[in-house]
Amino acid sequence: MKNFTEFLHLISQHDVTAYEVMNASNSKDAQKSFLSYNAKEPNFEYNGPKNLPIETLRSNLQSLEQIANNIERDHTLTPIESQLLKITLKHACDENQLAIAAYDYRHSVYMSEANLAAMRFRLNNLELFGDKTQADGIAIDYDVFLAMVKWYMQRIPADALRTSDRVLYDKLTERLSSIGWEDASSDAIFQPQPHVMQQFGELVEKYFANIFSHIPDNEIFSPQEVCNLINEILNTEFKGETKFQAQLDTTRRAIYVDQKDRIIYIPLQRSLGPYTHKTVKNIVIGHELCTHAYRGIPYEMSNITPLAEGVVGYGNFDEGLAKCVEQSLAKTYVPSGFGHYINLALIEYENLTFREAYDVCFALEFLSGTKVEETEEEYRKRFQATQSLAFERIRRATRGTNRLPLFKDLTYYNGNVMVWQYIKAHLDQPEQLMINLFESGKTDITNPMHYELVQMFKHNSSN
């Protein structure tokens, strides 16, 4: 066990979160310029503290190779420990290599260099966020993609659009005319049964009752009030069990739980709108704190860092569970990840550029949100908010390259489906279900190796 935890620590010193490294350091300015001058793609820069130097990334790979050799020579490791270390090490290599490939793509001078970098990017992208059950390795079901497009298009009141919006609608239908969405079956899209969602919602309300009791009756919360609320809960309900703290963030547009630094970032300007009471309970507390942060807290003081920060391959389950919690608290199934799924399918299969993907994303979101009797001021605010939303989504979909699809955000739909199916299969044992979901660390409890790691930890803790 000692060598196992030491190896985990060594690997973590050279691991990176590629999508964090690939985040532009000037997103707000790049967005403003992109929207103001109708540019083909944003002029992103990568010189922030998270944008590690290329020399550091390459050095990480060399260090990880040496660690791999040492693991091979260590005969004290059990089979499960050895297997987990090898998977964790490969994941760390893939993360570093993905960030390196993005860097090389951005700095390519010749087309041949760009193509080679794109091939490497795709390889590591599929290793990290792909689906080996699919023929092409991509976790996209084309029938689901078409059904999602149809879902959006059916929500556009075409006969009630303003003249300017009618022009936008005509351009949208022309752009999408070649994919055949009109004949898509809505049955391709997963939806949980109402009684499953209701029963799970009741379990969540009961399980986290003490945490939810801290939420005041405010209709609107300021970002600072949200921060204060999270820190109040952490300081009173966990009493020194965790290093997690919330802090304001001036650059991000979405809430982010940093597992390594144990920080819950609350954006001053949230792209999805203000912090309403429903947003705070269902998303900030339910989705972010009670799922993304809470699951790892019981293991924070252990020597098995991945149980606290995330075992390799946990992401789909963790995000899927967070969305299930959010949806059950809302008492209605709000489709998860449709926009991300569509954007990545269009970029991958229709080869859309940043601008083209942005235009489609904006049109789908804006037109489907049409309110027939809204005022000019409401229309203007909705237009600007949708611009920011569409830009952020395409930035995420092409993070690090402006052009190549990064499949990470497919997890919002795929993970949600996986966890709802798990919940349905285990609702007959509610107490054990909640233990498996929320007290098994940052794992995918459907993965046998993850389950075995949790059992190994509990066995060692009891001895």
Side-chain angles (χ1 to χ4, degrees), residues 120-305:
R120 288 163 36 223
F121 184 90
R122 184 178 186 82
L123 176 65
N124 295 114
N125 191 10
L126 291 175
E127 285 293 325
L128 290 167
F129 309 116
D131 181 355
K132 291 179 174 57
T133 66
Q134 299 291 332
D136 59 3
I138 302 171
I140 295 175
D141 183 314
Y142 203 80
D143 290 335
V144 171
F145 155 60
L146 294 178
M148 288 178 175
V149 173
K150 185 175 183 177
W151 184 89
Y152 268 100
M153 295 298 287
Q154 289 179 332
R155 280 157 178 74
I156 300 175
D159 295 334
L161 295 175
R162 302 181 179 208
T163 302
S164 59
D165 290 349
R166 184 72 205 191
V167 173
L168 183 63
Y169 177 76
D170 290 342
K171 289 181 178 179
L172 176 64
T173 54
E174 181 181 359
R175 164 63 71 182
L176 298 176
S177 61
S178 62
I179 66 174
W181 62 267
E182 297 94 336
D183 300 324
S185 170
S186 59
D187 291 339
I189 299 174
F190 172 85
Q191 186 163 338
Q193 294 171 301
H195 76 275
V196 172
M197 193 160 64
Q198 179 184 344
Q199 289 179 49
F200 183 60
E202 292 169 355
L203 289 173
V204 170
E205 291 277 8
K206 182 179 179 180
Y207 190 84
F208 292 111
N210 287 347
I211 289 177
F212 291 142
S213 69
H214 288 266
I215 305 174
D217 293 329
N218 303 28
E219 289 186 12
I220 298 289
F221 292 74
S222 70
Q224 185 62 63
E225 288 172 329
V226 172
C227 248
N228 294 345
L229 173 62
I230 294 174
N231 288 330
E232 173 192 319
I233 293 171
L234 289 169
N235 294 333
T236 57
E237 296 298 326
F238 297 96
K239 296 175 182 174
E241 296 175 23
T242 180
K243 294 179 181 178
F244 266 121
Q245 287 288 289
Q247 70 179 48
L248 295 176
D249 194 294
T250 59
T251 58
R252 297 176 192 275
R253 306 304 299 274
I255 304 167
Y256 176 64
V257 181
D258 189 320
Q259 301 296 336
K260 289 187 177 181
D261 293 338
R262 312 309 268 177
I263 298 172
I264 302 173
Y265 289 104
I266 303 299
L268 280 171
Q269 293 184 314
R270 181 172 172 267
S271 62
L272 292 178
Y275 295 98
T276 64
H277 189 274
K278 285 185 178 180
T279 296
V280 169
K281 180 176 181 180
N282 302 349
I283 298 176
V284 176
I285 304 302
H287 181 124
E288 305 292 351
L289 177 60
C290 291
T291 310
H292 288 322
Y294 182 93
R295 296 182 76 216
I297 288 175
Y299 299 87
E300 198 167 312
M301 303 307 171
S302 77
N303 288 325
I304 306 181
T305 306

Side-chain angles (χ1 to χ4, degrees), residues 64 139 207 269 303 389 426 457:
L64 290 168
Y207 190 84
Q269 293 184 314
N303 288 325
L389 174 66
H426 295 84
F457 172 82

